[in-house]
Amino acid sequence: MEKSEYLDLYRQMVVIRRMEERSAELYQAGKIGGFFHLYIGEEAGSTGLVWARRADDNVITAYRDHGVAYNVGISAGAIMAELLGKATGISKGKGGSMHLADAEKFFWGGHAIVGAHIPVAAGLALADVYMENDAITICMMGDGATNIGFFHEGVNMAKVWNLPVLWVVENNQYGMGTAVDRASAVSEMTQKAAGYGMKAERADGMDLFNVREVAGRMIEEIRGGGGPQLLEILTYRFRGHSMGDPERYRKQEEVHKWQEEDPIGIFRKKGIEQGLASEEELNEQDDLAEKEVEEAVHFAETSPEPAPEELYTEVYAEPLE
């Protein structure tokens, strides 16, 4: 890995962390409304996945989508403006936190209903097959989504039709406030691929290098005609399920234990050990990330609200020619 690439990836994770921390402050100040889900602690997952993808590979995810949106190339300003419901947001202020998307970047959302995007992912992959593209679809979901019908329907059809999909389960140990082993018959998400004859692997979601290595290998196998596969990324969210979560279901000792394995800290330490960057260079990236986020907040707060007539636009998709 080149130094410039390493520094870019490090800065990406720091920007996501700072962006989430600032947006939490804005939420508490009443400037962001609705349900709000933070990605703090899980940054290495989407950063490693998007690092491994090709630019025309589809990415689709659930509602914890701010970090994924930034990784695919949506600016921090456009994300922050959308969170504040401003006209300059990536969804023109109409979608908010859970509905970030950019078709030009092959990023299809941001979906609020648990698992509802899983059949959509199968459809995206089927479209690429029809058009004879060799792009693949990366479908990210939480561990809780694997217990509902959408998951089994989508995964089954992907295998029946041999669709190029990488199903990614970001296992952060809890579905809302319920521990995985209390809601799922199996606690290892990789086991759920066995019923569909799919290959499955697990990656350390606190180690960006490991996520990139495992995801990259699986993506190339799928692109080569190997059919759909399932990747479990074992990770942990440092904050509650959403901003209104009192977190009575877990002890702070557990949270602190995972925080000792902070993905940004691990990536920083390994980069220094491997001679990819110095402390001074990484501190400079921290400063750049802080500046980028503060500029994004300023842009969002000074952007206009959507005009009232926007309520009636883009209700239906434009018909195909």
Side-chain angles (χ1 to χ4, degrees):
M1 180 190 295
E2 298 291 331
K3 174 182 284 192
S4 60
E5 184 180 29
Y6 171 80
L7 292 175
D8 283 345
L9 290 165
Y10 175 80
R11 188 178 65 256
Q12 282 182 43
M13 284 205 291
V14 176
V15 167
I16 294 170
R17 177 69 59 87
R18 298 289 177 264
M19 186 168 61
E20 295 289 64
E21 291 171 341
R22 287 292 282 120
S23 63
E25 294 171 5
L26 292 167
Y27 187 94
Q28 290 167 334
K31 295 182 178 181
I32 297 175
F35 291 104
F36 202 72
H37 310 83
L38 300 175
Y39 204 53
I40 295 174
E42 300 184 46
E43 297 91 349
S46 67
T47 305
L49 285 167
V50 175
W51 180 20
R53 86 188 267 244
R54 206 170 66 188
D56 62 339
D57 288 335
N58 301 302
V59 178
I60 188 167
T61 190
Y63 44 75
R64 206 177 300 278
D65 60 345
H66 314 157
V68 188
Y70 184 75
N71 284 137
V72 301
I74 300 175
S75 72
I79 294 170
M80 196 64 72
E82 186 61 36
L83 300 185
L84 269 67
K86 298 300 184 72
T88 54
I90 191 61
S91 300
K92 300 182 181 179
K94 300 178 181 181
S97 168
M98 297 188 280
H99 301 100
L100 304 174
D102 188 343
E104 292 184 0
K105 291 180 171 57
F106 297 89
F107 178 54
W108 306 100
H111 292 260
I113 299 174
V114 175
H117 65 297
I118 297 175
V120 178
L124 290 168
L126 181 60
D128 278 325
V129 171
Y130 267 113
M131 293 186 290
E132 298 183 347
N133 298 330
D134 68 341
I136 76 153
T137 294
I138 298 171
C139 179
M140 304 168 66
M141 69 195 81
D143 47 88
T146 66
N147 297 324
I148 65 175
F150 285 132
F151 172 80
H152 299 282
E153 293 164 3
V155 169
N156 181 66
M157 291 313 300
K159 182 61 179 179
V160 170
W161 291 336
N162 201 45
L163 300 178
V165 185
L166 178 62
W167 303 108
V168 181
V169 181
E170 292 185 286
N171 183 358
N172 63 18
Q173 320 297 311
Y174 294 94
M176 296 186 72
T178 305
V180 169
D181 58 6
R182 291 184 61 203
S184 177
V186 293
S187 57
E188 293 186 15
M189 299 299 104
T190 51
Q191 293 178 282
K192 299 196 176 187
Y196 302 100
M198 280 196 312
K199 179 178 178 180
E201 293 195 46
R202 174 182 272 189
D204 180 357
M206 312 310 275
D207 184 347
L208 191 150
F209 285 112
N210 185 250
V211 174
R212 168 62 178 85
E213 176 190 353
V214 178
R217 182 174 63 251
M218 298 178 80
I219 285 171
E220 290 313 305
E221 289 176 2
I222 295 168
R223 201 184 311 281
Q229 298 185 20
L230 185 145
L231 171 61
E232 177 184 7
I233 295 179
L234 194 62
T235 184
Y236 196 85
R237 54 174 166 79
F238 294 170
R239 301 288 185 93
H241 168 73
S242 64
M243 289 296 292
D245 182 359
E247 297 188 69
R248 296 192 182 98
Y249 50 86
R250 62 183 185 180
K251 296 180 179 179
Q252 283 303 302
E253 291 82 3
E254 176 185 311
V255 178
H256 294 155
K257 179 180 178 181
W258 277 90
Q259 287 175 330
E260 292 174 0
E261 298 295 315
D262 183 282
I264 296 174
I266 290 173
F267 195 63
R268 182 185 180 104
K269 181 180 178 181
K270 287 192 173 184
I272 294 171
E273 290 174 349
Q274 295 177 23
L276 292 168
S278 65
E279 286 277 3
E280 293 75 18
E281 289 171 319
L282 292 172
N283 290 341
E284 182 180 346
Q285 296 303 311
D286 289 337
D287 293 339
L288 290 172
E290 191 73 44
K291 181 183 179 192
E292 181 177 344
V293 172
E294 287 310 310
E295 289 176 349
V297 172
H298 177 74
F299 171 76
E301 291 193 307
T302 57
S303 290
E305 302 283 342
E309 55 267 24
E310 278 293 314
L311 189 64
Y312 305 101
T313 65
E314 299 168 322
V315 177
Y316 298 103
E318 292 292 330
L320 296 174
E321 296 293 336

